[in-house]
Each structure stands twice: as structure tokens, then as C-alpha cells.
Amino acid sequence: MSRILKIIIAMAIFLTMLVVWQSCKMVKDVTAAVTNLQKMQFKLENVSGFTVGGINIQNKKSISDISAMDAVRLTQMVTSKKLSVSFILNVAAKNPNDGTNNTRKSTATLTSFDWNLYIDGVKTISGDIKKSIEIPGTGQSTIIPLEMSLDMYEFLGNRGYDGLLNLALAIGGVNGSPAKLKLDARPRVSTPFGEMNYPGRLTIVDKTWN
């Protein structure tokens, strides 16, 4: 075998090993990216700016706190089978990739957050974030404000006037909380290997990080 042929064979073997090593490294890096994506955590933080038919109820505890004039207006809406509500649902997101517990410190960029909103167990509207949101790898939570606007009567009209208003107050009144809300969501995060969808849909509630 000539010296030149030996060199060519040696180079071919070296290049083959290099390709295999790079492929293994890429698989390892992609696996790490997916693992880090799965570590992202979410929960419902709070509700703000809740209005019913354009009436702010954040400072109201019960139906009796609604003025007579506003009560007439709301009654007319329910009678006409409409009750528009709007509010901000603040979702807390946490990126645990902070360089501890064998994680690589990195910022996650949330490019999509396809969600479905459930109110007291009833599926209502769907949506997504309007722009990308960066979630630093600090272990601290970042708030994702989701704008909600829907006709509450369309989904929950069978509860009647009192039932609808009491539910609205439980969510957005002075003692309100997101306890009666739930999100079914699928995040998509930008990684060095392109955008990746979370492996499955998440159920996001207010009490615990999912």
C-alpha cells in the first residue's frame, strides 16, 4: 500500500470519527435543550383590571356593593344574553436553569404560549402571546400578562344574573383570586437548535408550579 493511500485512509477514518463525535455531541446538546425546556415552570399569579360590562369591580366584595345604576345596566345586559368581561391574567413563569443543580445557566425566550382559558371548569376562549418574552435563568419568576376579553354569558349564561356576578367577583373583586381559573397551554421556546414546543400541553393553576 502506497504512503499516499495510507494517508488518505487515515484522513478518511479521522473525518468519520469527527462526524460521529459531532453527531453525538449534537444529540447530547439537543437532549439537554429539551430537558431544560421541560424544567420551565408556570402558575397563575393573580388577576388585575377586571371589568364587567365596562364596570370596574376590583374594589367590590359582593353584589350589594354594585350601585343601583350599574345593577340596572348589568341586568339589562344579562337580559339581552350578553355580559362582556375583560381582565389581565398574570401568569408567573420560572426558568430554573440558573447554573445550579447541574443546569446550564441560560435565558429562555418564550416565542409562543398557545392557551385555552377555563372558568370554573368551563372551556372559554383561546389565544397566544403577542410577542416573545425572555425568562432569565435566575430562578426568579417573570410575569406574563395575558389580556382576556370574552362574553361571559356565552359560556356561563345558565348560571343567571347572581351566579355570573358572584363568579366575576370571586375572580376579579376585592377578595378575588385566579382559583376559579385554569389554563391549558403549550409553550414554545427558542433554543440554539431552533424553536421547540413543550413536549405536551400543561395544566396551569394558581396554587402550585406545574
Side-chain angles (χ1 to χ4, degrees), residues 44 89 116-119 121 178 180-184 203-205:
L44 304 185
L89 176 57
N116 298 307
L117 173 68
Y118 287 77
I119 300 179
K180 290 186 177 295
L181 303 179
K182 179 179 72 176
L183 284 183
D184 162 50
T203 298
I204 304 172
V205 295

Side-chain angles (χ1 to χ4, degrees), residues 20-76:
V20 171
W21 177 80
Q22 287 180 330
S23 297
C24 291
K25 183 177 183 300
M26 181 171 290
V27 169
K28 184 178 179 180
D29 288 345
V30 170
T31 301
V34 172
T35 300
N36 289 340
L37 172 60
Q38 289 177 309
K39 291 178 181 177
M40 293 285 294
Q41 296 176 307
F42 302 88
K43 74 172 182 177
L44 304 185
E45 186 72 10
N46 55 50
V47 173
S48 60
F50 202 110
T51 64
V52 182
I55 301 167
N56 192 323
I57 64 168
Q58 290 185 104
N59 61 345
K60 295 176 172 52
K61 293 183 179 180
S62 63
I63 294 178
S64 61
D65 293 331
I66 298 173
S67 69
M69 185 177 295
D70 286 342
V72 170
R73 180 180 169 186
L74 293 173
T75 300
Q76 290 174 340

Side-chain angles (χ1 to χ4, degrees), residues 1-209:
M1 184 181 295
S2 68
R3 183 168 177 270
I4 294 177
L5 183 57
K6 289 180 179 179
I7 292 173
I8 292 174
I9 293 173
M11 289 181 64
I13 293 173
F14 172 76
L15 290 173
T16 299
M17 292 176 65
L18 181 62
V19 169
V20 171
W21 177 80
Q22 287 180 330
S23 297
C24 291
K25 183 177 183 300
M26 181 171 290
V27 169
K28 184 178 179 180
D29 288 345
V30 170
T31 301
V34 172
T35 300
N36 289 340
L37 172 60
Q38 289 177 309
K39 291 178 181 177
M40 293 285 294
Q41 296 176 307
F42 302 88
K43 74 172 182 177
L44 304 185
E45 186 72 10
N46 55 50
V47 173
S48 60
F50 202 110
T51 64
V52 182
I55 301 167
N56 192 323
I57 64 168
Q58 290 185 104
N59 61 345
K60 295 176 172 52
K61 293 183 179 180
S62 63
I63 294 178
S64 61
D65 293 331
I66 298 173
S67 69
M69 185 177 295
D70 286 342
V72 170
R73 180 180 169 186
L74 293 173
T75 300
Q76 290 174 340
M77 290 182 185
V78 173
T79 301
S80 63
K81 298 184 178 181
K82 290 183 180 180
L83 190 66
S84 60
V85 302
S86 64
F87 58 94
I88 302 295
L89 176 57
N90 293 303
V91 180
K94 186 186 291 185
N95 176 6
N97 299 299
D98 57 0
T100 63
N101 298 321
N102 297 319
T103 64
R104 178 181 177 183
K105 187 171 184 178
S106 60
T107 295
T109 301
L110 194 67
T111 59
S112 176
F113 194 68
D114 171 34
W115 54 262
N116 298 307
L117 173 68
Y118 287 77
I119 300 179
D120 210 16
V122 178
K123 185 177 179 180
T124 59
I125 58 174
S126 304
D128 204 337
I129 54 176
K130 296 179 179 179
K131 61 180 181 180
S132 298
I133 298 173
E134 288 194 350
I135 306 173
T138 61
Q140 303 298 314
S141 59
T142 298
I143 297 298
I144 305 170
L146 301 179
E147 297 180 7
M148 304 292 179
S149 182
L150 67 144
D151 180 357
M152 206 165 175
Y153 191 95
E154 177 184 349
F155 303 101
L156 299 152
N158 61 337
R159 305 190 180 203
Y161 176 84
D162 285 359
L164 288 171
L165 289 190
N166 282 325
L167 180 56
L169 288 164
I171 298 169
V174 67
N175 295 322
S177 80
K180 290 186 177 295
L181 303 179
K182 179 179 72 176
L183 284 183
D184 162 50
R186 189 174 193 187
R188 185 166 71 238
V189 176
S190 176
T191 75
F193 308 98
E195 294 188 352
M196 290 186 178
N197 283 319
Y198 201 87
R201 297 191 71 85
L202 304 175
T203 298
I204 304 172
V205 295
D206 70 318
K207 296 297 183 184
T208 57
W209 294 96

